[in-house]
């Protein structure tokens, strides 16, 4: 079925889709009431205005408190000088801006071919993904961190390497998971960017140690090693390797040796596949694989952390794995893991409760690499920036007799009938936690488990 070709028809379709997304988001998933944002807000207010310690604060009536490195609290200090309502509005605006930047970096060239209509469809699709829904509903920082990391990818791809690495460094100072992207820079032999990322992380950490020495000492000597502060490892929202093993072993503690072995194996696969992507100059795959591996090896990867899978969807679209992308997209919108909220035992529990983790692992093993020659980042050490084509998320001018890159054809296939005739750069047209719907409202955002902000 072809979508309307007129502007009025497209506007009507977009408004209908937006209304459907709004109704679904407001009625079907469990809304989180900005819970994690309230953790951040209460933490900095207690620290600045009442002389409290960062890691002593708990949301009233809960056991939930701050679990990020001290620099994260330092970066959130502006919230101490505004009301909670203002903080919520600012968080919404920041997440919206981060989501737009992520789409622009990952799919900007393709979406530009379809103008406002393509962007509107992409926004509707993004809003339905459970990790994105939860990030907004919790008031989380995941999209902001993803935007920081992908900004470095864009800087490297366009030859603006002077500050490349700063985004990764800041992201790693706020949360530990993005630190694996420093390993990506080392694999790519981007020594300067890796040094910048490391220096920014260390500098931010030292700044936090100066501002809050007691909290820094407590975090780096105790809290960082204590996963019980974050939540139950076997809780169904934990879609990491550790989560899989914890649900298998429940109610016992999972084997540390088994987890360490699984982490080493995943990192080995990541290193091998990422090296292949780098040799081919395939930036999307390299960054996508790193996001996947980071989610798997982290002791706790809540569902809202899985925004790190978004670069993998860009790779699938660019290589025309449209059916695979569609199936995985539907699964990540479905909240299917929450069917095993109460009982993850048995074969069905093992398979179903870990659905998102299986998706992440499957993408790590099977994501296409080196198959989008028109969309490569300048990460290969053997290719000089002067000789390699720079990537920018804007549409190149078409020239007669020149074939369109595969990524553009793939995007046309995705938007195809939904977008109507595509426009090229000269204006021609051719015809070419839980948000489970299965769960009742819980008293606490992540169920009755003792889960802190993460």
């Amino acid at each position: 079925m072809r979508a309307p070709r007129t502007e009025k028809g497209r506007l009507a379709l977009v408004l209908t889709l937006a209304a459907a997304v709004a109704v679904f988001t407001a009625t079907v998933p469990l809304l989180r009431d900005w819970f994690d944002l309230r953790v951040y807000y209460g933490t900095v207010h207690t620290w600045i205005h009442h002389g409290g310690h960062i890691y002593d604060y708990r949301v009233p009536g809960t056991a939930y408190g701050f679990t990020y490195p001290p620099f994260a609290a330092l970066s959130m200090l502006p919230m101490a000088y505004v009301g909670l309502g203002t903080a919520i509005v600012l968080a919404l605006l920041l997440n919206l801006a981060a989501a737009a930047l992520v789409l622009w970096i990952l799919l900007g060239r393709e979406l530009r071919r379809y103008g406002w209509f393509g962007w509107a469809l992409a926004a509707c699709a993004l809003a339905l993904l459970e990790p994105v829904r939860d990030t907004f509903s919790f008031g989380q920082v995941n999209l902001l961190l993803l935007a920081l990391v992908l900004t470095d990818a864009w800087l490297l791809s366009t030859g603006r390497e002077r500050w490349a690495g700063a985004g990764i460094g800041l992201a790693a100072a706020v949360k530990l998971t993005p630190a694996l992207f420093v390993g990506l820079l080392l694999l790519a032999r981007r020594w300067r960017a890796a040094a910048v990322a490391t220096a920014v992380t260390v500098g931010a950490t030292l700044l936090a140690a100066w501002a809050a020495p007691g909290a820094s000492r407590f975090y780096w000597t105790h809290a960082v090693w204590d996963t019980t502060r974050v939540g139950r490892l076997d809780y169904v929202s934990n879609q990491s390797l550790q989560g899989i093993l914890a649900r298998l072993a429940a109610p016992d503690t999972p084997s540390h040796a088994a987890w360490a072995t699984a982490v080493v194996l995943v990192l080995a696969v990541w290193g091998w596949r990422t090296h292949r992507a780098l040799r081919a100059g395939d930036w999307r795959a390299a960054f996508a694989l790193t996001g996947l591996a980071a989610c798997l090896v982290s002791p706790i990867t809540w569902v809202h952390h899985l925004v790190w899978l978004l670069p993998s969807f860009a790779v699938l679209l660019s290589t025309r794995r449209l059916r695979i992308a569609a199936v995985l997209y539907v699964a990540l919108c479905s909240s299917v893991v929450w069917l095993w909220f109460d009982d993850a035992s048995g074969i069905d529990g093992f398979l179903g409760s870990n659905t998102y983790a299986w998706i992440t692992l499957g993408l790590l093993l099977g994501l296409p690499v080196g198959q989008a020659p028109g969309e490569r980042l300048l990460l290969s050490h053997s290719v000089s920036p002067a000789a390699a084509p720079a990537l920018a998320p804007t549409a190149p001018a078409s020239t007669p007799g020149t074939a369109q890159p595969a990524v553009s054809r793939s995007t046309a296939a995705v938007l195809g009938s939904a977008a109507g005739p595509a426009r090229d750069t000269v204006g021609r047209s051719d015809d070419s936690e839980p948000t489970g719907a299965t769960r009742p409202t819980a008293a606490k955002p992540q169920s009755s488990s003792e889960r802190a902000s993460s």
Side-chain angles (χ1 to χ4, degrees), residues 98-121:
L101 181 59
V102 167
L103 280 177
W104 182 76
I105 293 174
L106 291 176
L107 294 172
R109 173 169 10 209
E110 296 90 322
L111 293 177
R112 183 174 176 177
R113 286 168 52 83
Y114 300 93
W116 70 269
F117 188 56
W119 283 96
L121 292 181

Side-chain angles (χ1 to χ4, degrees), residues 54 129 243 290 345:
I54 293 173
L129 276 172
T290 306
S345 61

Side-chain angles (χ1 to χ4, degrees), residues 182-193:
V182 179
L184 168 61
L185 297 176
L186 293 174
L187 280 177
R189 300 183 184 180
R190 288 299 188 182
W191 311 122
R192 178 186 175 89

